[in-house]
mmCIF file of all heavy atoms in Angstrom:
data_model
loop_
_atom_site.group_PDB
_atom_site.id
_atom_site.type_symbol
_atom_site.label_atom_id
_atom_site.label_comp_id
_atom_site.label_asym_id
_atom_site.label_seq_id
_atom_site.Cartn_x
_atom_site.Cartn_y
_atom_site.Cartn_z
ATOM 1 N N ILE A 5 -37.731 33.532 46.655
ATOM 2 C CA ILE A 5 -38.664 33.711 47.764
ATOM 3 C C ILE A 5 -38.572 35.175 48.201
ATOM 4 O O ILE A 5 -37.509 35.632 48.652
ATOM 5 C CB ILE A 5 -38.309 32.794 48.970
ATOM 6 C CG1 ILE A 5 -38.003 31.357 48.518
ATOM 7 C CG2 ILE A 5 -39.422 32.825 50.015
ATOM 8 C CD1 ILE A 5 -39.152 30.581 47.954
ATOM 9 N N ILE A 6 -39.668 35.890 48.056
ATOM 10 C CA ILE A 6 -39.654 37.335 48.325
ATOM 11 C C ILE A 6 -40.495 37.642 49.563
ATOM 12 O O ILE A 6 -41.660 37.249 49.645
ATOM 13 C CB ILE A 6 -40.212 38.106 47.107
ATOM 14 C CG1 ILE A 6 -39.441 37.706 45.840
ATOM 15 C CG2 ILE A 6 -40.125 39.619 47.345
ATOM 16 C CD1 ILE A 6 -39.980 38.335 44.555
ATOM 17 N N ALA A 7 -39.880 38.331 50.509
ATOM 18 C CA ALA A 7 -40.601 38.750 51.720
ATOM 19 C C ALA A 7 -41.179 40.143 51.489
ATOM 20 O O ALA A 7 -40.440 41.085 51.204
ATOM 21 C CB ALA A 7 -39.637 38.785 52.900
ATOM 22 N N ASN A 8 -42.489 40.248 51.608
ATOM 23 C CA ASN A 8 -43.153 41.552 51.490
ATOM 24 C C ASN A 8 -43.604 41.947 52.903
ATOM 25 O O ASN A 8 -44.630 41.474 53.372
ATOM 26 C CB ASN A 8 -44.342 41.425 50.530
ATOM 27 C CG ASN A 8 -45.130 42.714 50.410
ATOM 28 O OD1 ASN A 8 -44.694 43.763 50.885
ATOM 29 N ND2 ASN A 8 -46.293 42.633 49.771
ATOM 30 N N TRP A 9 -42.827 42.794 53.534
ATOM 31 C CA TRP A 9 -43.136 43.171 54.932
ATOM 32 C C TRP A 9 -44.323 44.137 55.018
ATOM 33 O O TRP A 9 -44.798 44.443 56.104
ATOM 34 C CB TRP A 9 -41.914 43.815 55.589
ATOM 35 C CG TRP A 9 -40.808 42.857 55.925
ATOM 36 C CD1 TRP A 9 -40.744 41.524 55.627
ATOM 37 C CD2 TRP A 9 -39.602 43.158 56.638
ATOM 38 N NE1 TRP A 9 -39.574 40.989 56.094
ATOM 39 C CE2 TRP A 9 -38.855 41.968 56.720
ATOM 40 C CE3 TRP A 9 -39.077 44.323 57.206
ATOM 41 C CZ2 TRP A 9 -37.613 41.902 57.359
ATOM 42 C CZ3 TRP A 9 -37.838 44.264 57.835
ATOM 43 C CH2 TRP A 9 -37.115 43.060 57.913
ATOM 44 N N LYS A 10 -44.741 44.654 53.877
ATOM 45 C CA LYS A 10 -45.841 45.642 53.844
ATOM 46 C C LYS A 10 -45.536 46.789 54.818
ATOM 47 O O LYS A 10 -44.388 47.209 54.902
ATOM 48 C CB LYS A 10 -47.174 44.948 54.130
ATOM 49 C CG LYS A 10 -47.402 43.765 53.164
ATOM 50 C CD LYS A 10 -48.790 43.220 53.192
ATOM 51 C CE LYS A 10 -48.885 42.066 52.196
ATOM 52 N NZ LYS A 10 -50.218 41.513 52.073
ATOM 53 N N CYS A 11 -46.525 47.261 55.574
ATOM 54 C CA CYS A 11 -46.293 48.413 56.457
ATOM 55 C C CYS A 11 -45.926 47.927 57.863
ATOM 56 O O CYS A 11 -46.574 48.276 58.842
ATOM 57 C CB CYS A 11 -47.548 49.285 56.451
ATOM 58 S SG CYS A 11 -47.337 50.895 57.209
ATOM 59 N N ASN A 12 -44.896 47.092 57.940
ATOM 60 C CA ASN A 12 -44.428 46.493 59.204
ATOM 61 C C ASN A 12 -42.904 46.382 59.185
ATOM 62 O O ASN A 12 -42.339 46.241 58.114
ATOM 63 C CB ASN A 12 -44.970 45.057 59.333
ATOM 64 C CG ASN A 12 -46.470 44.994 59.299
ATOM 65 O OD1 ASN A 12 -47.142 45.444 60.182
ATOM 66 N ND2 ASN A 12 -46.998 44.409 58.226
ATOM 67 N N PRO A 13 -42.254 46.305 60.340
ATOM 68 C CA PRO A 13 -42.751 46.656 61.664
ATOM 69 C C PRO A 13 -42.753 48.169 61.836
ATOM 70 O O PRO A 13 -42.329 48.894 60.945
ATOM 71 C CB PRO A 13 -41.737 45.990 62.595
ATOM 72 C CG PRO A 13 -40.507 45.800 61.788
ATOM 73 C CD PRO A 13 -40.876 45.819 60.342
ATOM 74 N N THR A 14 -43.166 48.623 63.024
ATOM 75 C CA THR A 14 -43.383 50.065 63.164
ATOM 76 C C THR A 14 -42.186 50.827 63.732
ATOM 77 O O THR A 14 -42.277 52.034 63.933
ATOM 78 C CB THR A 14 -44.612 50.340 64.051
ATOM 79 O OG1 THR A 14 -44.457 49.591 65.247
ATOM 80 C CG2 THR A 14 -45.895 49.967 63.361
ATOM 81 N N SER A 15 -41.089 50.140 63.999
ATOM 82 C CA SER A 15 -39.905 50.892 64.438
ATOM 83 C C SER A 15 -38.661 50.282 63.804
ATOM 84 O O SER A 15 -38.632 49.102 63.450
ATOM 85 C CB SER A 15 -39.766 50.854 65.965
ATOM 86 O OG SER A 15 -39.363 49.556 66.374
ATOM 87 N N GLN A 16 -37.644 51.135 63.704
ATOM 88 C CA GLN A 16 -36.390 50.686 63.109
ATOM 89 C C GLN A 16 -35.764 49.572 63.956
ATOM 90 O O GLN A 16 -35.178 48.626 63.431
ATOM 91 C CB GLN A 16 -35.434 51.861 62.999
ATOM 92 C CG GLN A 16 -34.103 51.456 62.404
ATOM 93 C CD GLN A 16 -33.429 52.585 61.687
ATOM 94 O OE1 GLN A 16 -33.678 53.736 62.025
ATOM 95 N NE2 GLN A 16 -32.594 52.292 60.727
ATOM 96 N N LYS A 17 -35.952 49.704 65.277
ATOM 97 C CA LYS A 17 -35.403 48.697 66.191
ATOM 98 C C LYS A 17 -35.983 47.312 65.878
ATOM 99 O O LYS A 17 -35.263 46.320 65.759
ATOM 100 C CB LYS A 17 -35.768 49.111 67.625
ATOM 101 C CG LYS A 17 -34.834 48.584 68.668
ATOM 102 C CD LYS A 17 -35.129 49.271 69.970
ATOM 103 C CE LYS A 17 -34.710 48.385 71.115
ATOM 104 N NZ LYS A 17 -35.230 48.885 72.384
ATOM 105 N N GLU A 18 -37.297 47.280 65.706
ATOM 106 C CA GLU A 18 -37.936 45.982 65.405
ATOM 107 C C GLU A 18 -37.542 45.475 64.013
ATOM 108 O O GLU A 18 -37.369 44.272 63.812
ATOM 109 C CB GLU A 18 -39.461 46.139 65.432
ATOM 110 C CG GLU A 18 -40.067 46.286 66.798
ATOM 111 C CD GLU A 18 -41.546 46.619 66.649
ATOM 112 O OE1 GLU A 18 -41.866 47.815 66.496
ATOM 113 O OE2 GLU A 18 -42.361 45.691 66.673
ATOM 114 N N ALA A 19 -37.400 46.409 63.082
ATOM 115 C CA ALA A 19 -37.007 46.004 61.720
ATOM 116 C C ALA A 19 -35.618 45.379 61.749
ATOM 117 O O ALA A 19 -35.363 44.344 61.120
ATOM 118 C CB ALA A 19 -37.033 47.205 60.785
ATOM 119 N N MET A 20 -34.711 45.990 62.528
ATOM 120 C CA MET A 20 -33.348 45.465 62.636
ATOM 121 C C MET A 20 -33.361 44.096 63.305
ATOM 122 O O MET A 20 -32.617 43.197 62.918
ATOM 123 C CB MET A 20 -32.465 46.422 63.454
ATOM 124 C CG MET A 20 -32.076 47.689 62.736
ATOM 125 S SD MET A 20 -31.408 47.434 61.090
ATOM 126 C CE MET A 20 -29.913 46.556 61.461
ATOM 127 N N ARG A 21 -34.237 43.972 64.311
ATOM 128 C CA ARG A 21 -34.319 42.693 65.027
ATOM 129 C C ARG A 21 -34.758 41.570 64.059
ATOM 130 O O ARG A 21 -34.160 40.495 64.026
ATOM 131 C CB ARG A 21 -35.302 42.809 66.194
ATOM 132 C CG ARG A 21 -35.077 41.720 67.233
ATOM 133 C CD ARG A 21 -36.040 41.817 68.395
ATOM 134 N NE ARG A 21 -35.986 43.067 69.121
ATOM 135 C CZ ARG A 21 -37.052 43.730 69.564
ATOM 136 N NH1 ARG A 21 -38.265 43.251 69.349
ATOM 137 N NH2 ARG A 21 -36.924 44.846 70.228
ATOM 138 N N LEU A 22 -35.760 41.865 63.273
ATOM 139 C CA LEU A 22 -36.263 40.875 62.317
ATOM 140 C C LEU A 22 -35.192 40.546 61.271
ATOM 141 O O LEU A 22 -34.924 39.373 60.976
ATOM 142 C CB LEU A 22 -37.542 41.415 61.646
ATOM 143 C CG LEU A 22 -38.198 40.571 60.567
ATOM 144 C CD1 LEU A 22 -38.512 39.156 61.057
ATOM 145 C CD2 LEU A 22 -39.496 41.234 60.085
ATOM 146 N N PHE A 23 -34.568 41.596 60.745
ATOM 147 C CA PHE A 23 -33.539 41.389 59.726
ATOM 148 C C PHE A 23 -32.385 40.557 60.299
ATOM 149 O O PHE A 23 -31.921 39.595 59.673
ATOM 150 C CB PHE A 23 -33.029 42.739 59.211
ATOM 151 C CG PHE A 23 -31.944 42.595 58.176
ATOM 152 C CD1 PHE A 23 -32.261 42.207 56.886
ATOM 153 C CD2 PHE A 23 -30.620 42.819 58.503
ATOM 154 C CE1 PHE A 23 -31.265 42.041 55.930
ATOM 155 C CE2 PHE A 23 -29.621 42.666 57.556
ATOM 156 C CZ PHE A 23 -29.944 42.278 56.264
ATOM 157 N N ASN A 24 -31.942 40.937 61.496
ATOM 158 C CA ASN A 24 -30.789 40.224 62.075
ATOM 159 C C ASN A 24 -31.126 38.782 62.404
ATOM 160 O O ASN A 24 -30.267 37.902 62.303
ATOM 161 C CB ASN A 24 -30.278 40.963 63.323
ATOM 162 C CG ASN A 24 -29.538 42.228 62.915
ATOM 163 O OD1 ASN A 24 -28.962 42.283 61.829
ATOM 164 N ND2 ASN A 24 -29.572 43.257 63.758
ATOM 165 N N SER A 25 -32.358 38.540 62.796
ATOM 166 C CA SER A 25 -32.676 37.156 63.111
ATOM 167 C C SER A 25 -32.750 36.303 61.831
ATOM 168 O O SER A 25 -32.349 35.145 61.830
ATOM 169 C CB SER A 25 -33.908 37.084 64.017
ATOM 170 O OG SER A 25 -35.005 36.620 63.369
ATOM 171 N N LEU A 26 -33.171 36.906 60.728
ATOM 172 C CA LEU A 26 -33.127 36.184 59.445
ATOM 173 C C LEU A 26 -31.680 35.936 59.027
ATOM 174 O O LEU A 26 -31.322 34.854 58.568
ATOM 175 C CB LEU A 26 -33.799 37.021 58.350
ATOM 176 C CG LEU A 26 -35.318 37.056 58.334
ATOM 177 C CD1 LEU A 26 -35.824 38.094 57.342
ATOM 178 C CD2 LEU A 26 -35.864 35.675 57.955
ATOM 179 N N LYS A 27 -30.881 36.964 59.226
ATOM 180 C CA LYS A 27 -29.475 36.885 58.850
ATOM 181 C C LYS A 27 -28.773 35.768 59.628
ATOM 182 O O LYS A 27 -28.076 34.936 59.056
ATOM 183 C CB LYS A 27 -28.844 38.249 59.185
ATOM 184 C CG LYS A 27 -27.605 38.564 58.418
ATOM 185 C CD LYS A 27 -27.273 40.034 58.627
ATOM 186 C CE LYS A 27 -25.803 40.271 58.413
ATOM 187 N NZ LYS A 27 -25.431 41.681 58.529
ATOM 188 N N THR A 28 -29.014 35.750 60.930
ATOM 189 C CA THR A 28 -28.393 34.714 61.762
ATOM 190 C C THR A 28 -28.881 33.330 61.326
ATOM 191 O O THR A 28 -28.094 32.391 61.190
ATOM 192 C CB THR A 28 -28.762 34.938 63.253
ATOM 193 O OG1 THR A 28 -28.493 36.301 63.553
ATOM 194 C CG2 THR A 28 -27.972 34.055 64.179
ATOM 195 N N GLY A 29 -30.184 33.220 61.084
ATOM 196 C CA GLY A 29 -30.744 31.940 60.651
ATOM 197 C C GLY A 29 -30.087 31.441 59.372
ATOM 198 O O GLY A 29 -29.752 30.267 59.245
ATOM 199 N N LEU A 30 -29.881 32.338 58.445
ATOM 200 C CA LEU A 30 -29.271 31.931 57.174
ATOM 201 C C LEU A 30 -27.785 31.644 57.326
ATOM 202 O O LEU A 30 -27.254 30.719 56.711
ATOM 203 C CB LEU A 30 -29.467 33.013 56.107
ATOM 204 C CG LEU A 30 -30.859 33.122 55.494
ATOM 205 C CD1 LEU A 30 -30.850 34.066 54.302
ATOM 206 C CD2 LEU A 30 -31.385 31.773 55.017
ATOM 207 N N LYS A 31 -27.134 32.426 58.181
ATOM 208 C CA LYS A 31 -25.694 32.199 58.380
ATOM 209 C C LYS A 31 -25.455 30.857 59.044
ATOM 210 O O LYS A 31 -24.500 30.154 58.733
ATOM 211 C CB LYS A 31 -25.117 33.314 59.265
ATOM 212 C CG LYS A 31 -24.556 34.465 58.464
ATOM 213 C CD LYS A 31 -23.770 35.373 59.384
ATOM 214 C CE LYS A 31 -23.150 36.523 58.654
ATOM 215 N NZ LYS A 31 -22.651 37.559 59.567
#
Side-chain angles (χ1 to χ4, degrees):
I5 314 293
I6 306 176
N8 177 11
W9 287 5
K10 306 192 180 184
C11 192
N12 301 292
T14 51
S15 72
Q16 179 152 26
K17 205 169 154 192
E18 286 172 275
M20 287 310 295
R21 200 180 301 139
L22 177 55
F23 179 75
N24 286 331
S25 108
L26 283 171
K27 203 168 155 177
T28 310
L30 284 189
K31 267 191 179 167

